[in-house]
Amino acid sequence: MQQEKPRRSNRQRSDTTRAAILEGARDLFIAKGYADTATPDIVAAAGLTRGALYHHFEDKKALFRAVVEREAGEVAAAIERSDRGQDSPRDALLAGASAYFDAMSIPGRVRLLLLDGPAVLGVAEIAAVDAAHGGRTLQEGLAAAMPPGRIEEASLKATAVLLSAAFDRAALEIDAGAARDPYLDAMGRLIDGLIGG
């Protein structure tokens, strides 16, 4: 006697459909770029209909934003996982730096987050995505590693933005074929200079 499979709820079916769209779109955005990826290609890759796509996403740009948000969330989660059992805030910052480079080494992630993301969504929207997915972690890490009173809040925020830009530039260089270790070493020296280590 064959057992019936439990029926999936509407929510489960919806989540499965959304995940298939995101995965198909991610692969195409990486392979072809945002401009050269058409919605018919996305639904074909996902094995779905255009109706399913537009049920979940207003348009191609909204879908791209969702892909970027998912990638940014995965990077933030990798950095958060690295912050376990560190002896000092400095060590936590360095572990976060290493985790960031590891997370950004996932094929296509640099293109999505650092190249096409700002070009398609704009710098302000990418900054909002970053803020929603752990953007304050670097600022909080710097604040914890610095001696009390060393830097005021506004300067700390600006310093975190500039250090984040250095991380992104290093990720671009590594993605283009540069060795990772010299960039990790340089980030350590930058962090030590900032926190007075």
Side-chain angles (χ1 to χ4, degrees):
M1 186 162 140
Q2 191 174 11
Q3 240 181 345
E4 279 189 43
K5 289 184 181 179
R7 296 187 74 169
R8 294 188 309 161
S9 69
N10 286 343
R11 178 69 178 171
Q12 289 170 321
R13 285 192 300 275
S14 180
D15 289 349
T16 299
T17 299
R18 189 175 199 280
I21 294 168
L22 286 170
E23 203 53 45
R26 180 193 189 278
D27 292 345
L28 288 168
F29 288 143
I30 290 168
K32 298 171 77 172
Y34 176 82
D36 291 332
T37 297
T39 54
D41 297 334
I42 294 169
V43 295
L48 298 166
T49 64
R50 286 179 67 127
L53 175 88
Y54 290 116
H55 174 75
H56 290 277
F57 302 99
E58 179 182 344
D59 56 19
K60 184 173 85 166
K61 187 174 180 181
L63 172 56
F64 181 76
R65 188 182 201 283
V67 169
V68 166
E69 285 179 336
R70 189 175 75 164
E71 294 295 312
E74 290 175 7
V75 172
I79 293 168
E80 288 295 323
R81 285 191 302 273
S82 75
D83 188 21
R84 295 194 177 129
Q86 305 303 324
D87 291 333
S88 69
R90 176 200 178 269
D91 290 343
L93 283 168
L94 294 177
S98 182
Y100 174 78
F101 290 148
D102 289 345
M104 292 302 288
S105 72
I106 301 297
R109 197 166 271 168
V110 164
R111 180 175 192 167
L112 291 170
L113 295 178
L114 302 181
L115 299 172
D116 290 356
V120 172
L121 301 175
V123 174
E125 194 158 347
I126 283 293
V129 168
D130 184 50
H133 296 283
R136 292 197 52 88
T137 304
L138 181 57
Q139 184 175 333
E140 290 165 358
L142 283 172
M146 287 185 178
R150 177 172 174 133
I151 190 169
E152 60 187 54
E153 186 71 22
S155 293
L156 179 64
K157 183 176 181 180
T159 301
V161 167
L162 292 174
L163 189 56
S164 178
F167 277 113
D168 291 349
R169 182 62 201 193
L172 286 164
E173 293 295 325
I174 294 166
D175 188 63
R180 177 185 183 274
D181 288 346
Y183 284 94
L184 188 57
D185 182 59
M187 293 308 294
R189 287 195 312 277
L190 274 174
I191 288 168
D192 285 343
L194 290 170
I195 66 174

